[in-house]
Amino acid sequence: MTDELTHVAEFNDQVRRLRAIVDSARPQVSQLVSEVVTSTFDRPISTDDLRAWREQVNSHVARDAGFAYQAYVLIVKLRGVPAQSPLSRVVAEIIDAWALRKGIVYERADSEALEFETQTAHHLPAWVKYLLAFDVKYRERRLHFLIKGQNRLYQLIGQDRFVGLDPLVVDRLKREFYVRLDALRRRENADFYSREVHDLVADTFPAAPSAAEVKHLEAFAARFVAQHVDQIDRLIDRLAVEIDLNASTRELDDLLASLDPTEWHADARREVLVNYLGFPFWDVLTFPMTRTRELSELNEILIDRISPQDAHALRGFDGIESLKGIGFGHFAAFLSRAYRENDYLLGRLHALDRLIDIVCDAAGIDAKTDRIDLLALKKRGFAAILAAEEPHLTRSRELIARLRRSIGEIGGSQAKRGG
């Protein structure tokens, strides 16, 4: 438990630092995007406008190539072998050797000409072209960032400059981002690809090499590529066609170009587009910190305790003393079915009590101002649990009777009338 809590604390610290980086860079990134986007945000824009702006922004940003890793992971999934198996290691080495043979290697000098996700990639270095075709993770990070931007908009809606912005409009766009994120993730599943691709993978990588060949794996991979280069070419080209990440980007361009100026406040629309167009800058800042773990939407992990010490709705059954198993060095329930039934049933009731409180706290619900009768909700939940468990807890009839009396007393006479 201590190790897990330490991990969560370290994770949250990293998220806070990343969020600070993103927030501190926001004015500078916004200014950089403004230098490219010459239009105002109170009028319609076309998909071609948005694509041109995206390509101009991306021309200022270079990133390390990750093609070989992306292709290896996908091929291993298609081959149906465990990620840490000997054959998966062989596949990784072969893909690296193939990329080296084809000249798909990162050259720092090439980065000056990098226009990421450009529609006219024929003039780009080979490694960039393959990165464009296979870098699903970059596009996933961008969608996570856009979703986080929608969450930020919810917090800004109360400001004067966003007067009139309907939260439902923000909801709809956030939902569209999730739809596209799901579509991207499907590209990482083996069943997304055609039978032709599966057959190509099986034919290209039929079996693991011998122990002697593995001992000199780099030399084996080079020989394998020399013998099967045409076959690997066909496989990679077919994968690129079917993964079709350009289509994913075009769909996102179309979606954001279609934001209706009559529904979107100009400043809010600008926030969305700055997040989209400026993402490559933020990615360069944060990617070195996120590459070792998935930070999703840069949300901290919050911890709530579910304990009888925090569940107070059931008078007489709250606190650690309500449990029978605490006796005999916390082994008492091992010796008595009645004790086990007592602690099991109270565990369910205490969990309901705490979960309702946790959900309301997370949603920012105030029982008084929002006119939600939390005690009535708890009473109904408690009653449902007792009704479901009573037939099975044969040693707990007296306990259940006392619990029903305690539930009836929740909230006093007013709660009784409302229940």
Side-chain angles (χ1 to χ4, degrees):
M1 182 70 73
T2 301
D3 289 344
E4 292 301 318
L5 291 174
T6 300
H7 169 76
V8 168
E10 292 172 351
F11 178 90
N12 288 347
D13 180 63
Q14 187 173 11
V15 168
R16 283 190 291 271
R17 283 185 282 122
L18 283 167
R19 189 181 299 143
I21 289 171
V22 169
D23 290 342
S24 64
R26 189 172 296 278
Q28 291 89 343
V29 173
S30 180
Q31 179 59 38
L32 289 168
V33 173
S34 297
E35 292 173 4
V36 171
V37 180
T38 56
S39 172
T40 60
F41 291 99
D42 56 357
R43 67 166 185 83
I45 60 176
S46 69
T47 300
D48 288 340
D49 287 336
L50 192 60
R51 180 180 299 121
W53 295 336
R54 173 171 52 76
E55 292 181 3
Q56 288 181 62
V57 170
N58 288 335
S59 68
H60 297 288
V61 181
R63 297 183 298 111
D64 289 345
F67 156 73
Y69 177 76
Q70 297 284 343
Y72 143 69
V73 169
L74 185 52
I75 290 170
V76 165
K77 288 181 179 179
L78 288 164
R79 184 63 178 77
V81 297
Q84 302 302 321
S85 67
L87 183 54
S88 72
R89 183 184 168 205
V90 171
V91 171
E93 196 69 35
I94 289 171
I95 294 300
D96 281 340
W98 176 86
L100 188 63
R101 179 186 177 98
K102 303 293 289 188
I104 306 168
V105 291
Y106 175 70
E107 296 290 347
R108 187 68 187 174
D110 292 335
S111 68
E112 300 300 324
L114 174 57
E115 297 177 16
F116 200 71
E117 291 181 307
T118 181
Q119 301 302 304
T120 56
H122 60 274
H123 65 288
L124 295 178
W127 70 266
V128 176
K129 294 178 184 178
Y130 280 96
L131 188 60
L132 295 177
F134 287 95
D135 200 354
V136 176
K137 291 299 183 184
Y138 172 81
R139 290 160 176 85
E140 286 185 3
R141 291 197 303 274
R142 179 169 60 190
L143 280 164
H144 279 303
F145 189 77
L146 291 172
I147 291 166
K148 184 65 178 177
Q150 296 303 100
N151 295 341
R152 183 173 183 270
L153 271 182
Y154 292 129
Q155 300 168 6
L156 299 176
I157 283 177
Q159 296 183 4
D160 292 342
R161 65 191 180 104
F162 292 113
V163 170
L165 178 61
D166 186 349
L168 293 179
V169 174
V170 181
D171 289 342
R172 282 203 302 271
L173 183 57
K174 184 177 178 180
R175 187 162 54 247
E176 291 291 340
F177 288 151
Y178 272 117
V179 168
R180 281 152 181 80
L181 184 58
D182 288 341
L184 269 179
R185 286 172 171 164
R186 284 196 293 275
R187 288 168 161 87
E188 296 182 288
N189 297 328
D191 57 9
F192 178 83
Y193 297 91
S194 69
R195 173 48 53 190
E196 177 187 353
V197 166
H198 282 264
D199 291 343
L200 272 172
V201 171
D203 291 342
T204 306
F205 304 98
S210 66
E213 289 171 327
V214 169
K215 188 175 181 180
H216 304 285
L217 188 53
E218 187 174 339
F220 167 81
R223 289 196 305 272
F224 186 95
V225 170
Q227 295 167 5
H228 301 88
V229 63
D230 292 339
Q231 204 169 351
I232 299 174
D233 285 350
R234 287 197 303 275
L235 172 59
I236 297 297
D237 288 344
R238 190 65 225 167
L239 279 172
V241 168
E242 294 195 12
I243 201 169
D244 197 9
L245 293 183
N246 283 337
S248 170
T249 299
R250 287 194 299 271
E251 289 175 7
L252 205 48
D253 285 343
D254 292 341
L255 172 65
L256 294 176
S258 69
L259 298 184
D260 188 347
T262 64
E263 290 185 333
W264 281 85
H265 191 288
D267 283 347
R269 193 158 164 253
R270 186 179 190 280
E271 281 274 331
V272 174
L273 294 178
V274 165
N275 286 339
Y276 180 51
L277 297 172
F279 173 71
F281 292 106
W282 276 299
D283 196 44
V284 166
L285 290 171
T286 61
F287 183 60
M289 297 176 66
T290 62
R291 66 190 308 166
T292 57
R293 62 173 62 172
E294 178 59 66
L295 292 187
S296 186
E297 300 173 28
L298 303 185
N299 290 327
E300 295 182 47
I301 298 173
L302 304 180
I303 297 175
D304 281 291
R305 186 173 69 170
I306 296 179
S307 164
Q309 293 176 268
D310 305 312
H312 304 297
L314 287 167
R315 294 290 177 86
F317 296 93
D318 51 347
I320 197 71
E321 298 79 11
S322 64
L323 302 181
K324 300 291 188 182
I326 62 174
F328 200 59
H330 291 275
F331 276 88
F334 282 89
L335 308 176
S336 167
R337 178 184 173 90
Y339 279 15
R340 291 196 298 276
E341 288 186 5
N342 178 93
D343 291 3
Y344 163 77
L345 184 57
L346 290 186
R348 288 205 64 188
L349 297 170
H350 291 153
L352 174 72
D353 190 354
R354 289 292 294 129
L355 287 171
I356 289 176
D357 290 340
I358 289 167
V359 169
C360 291
D361 179 67
I365 293 173
D366 187 310
K368 295 179 180 178
T369 59
D370 292 308
R371 298 182 180 179
I372 295 177
D373 192 342
L374 297 183
L375 290 177
L377 281 175
K378 291 182 179 183
K379 287 184 68 172
R380 290 201 297 273
F382 292 152
I385 289 172
L386 292 185
E389 296 292 353
E390 186 172 18
H392 308 289
L393 303 181
T394 57
R395 309 287 180 88
S396 301
R397 290 189 176 88
E398 182 182 345
L399 170 66
I400 290 172
R402 289 190 291 117
L403 282 166
R404 284 203 168 101
R405 288 195 295 271
S406 180
I407 291 170
E409 295 169 359
I410 291 176
S413 59
Q414 181 180 3
K416 290 179 182 178
R417 291 195 301 272

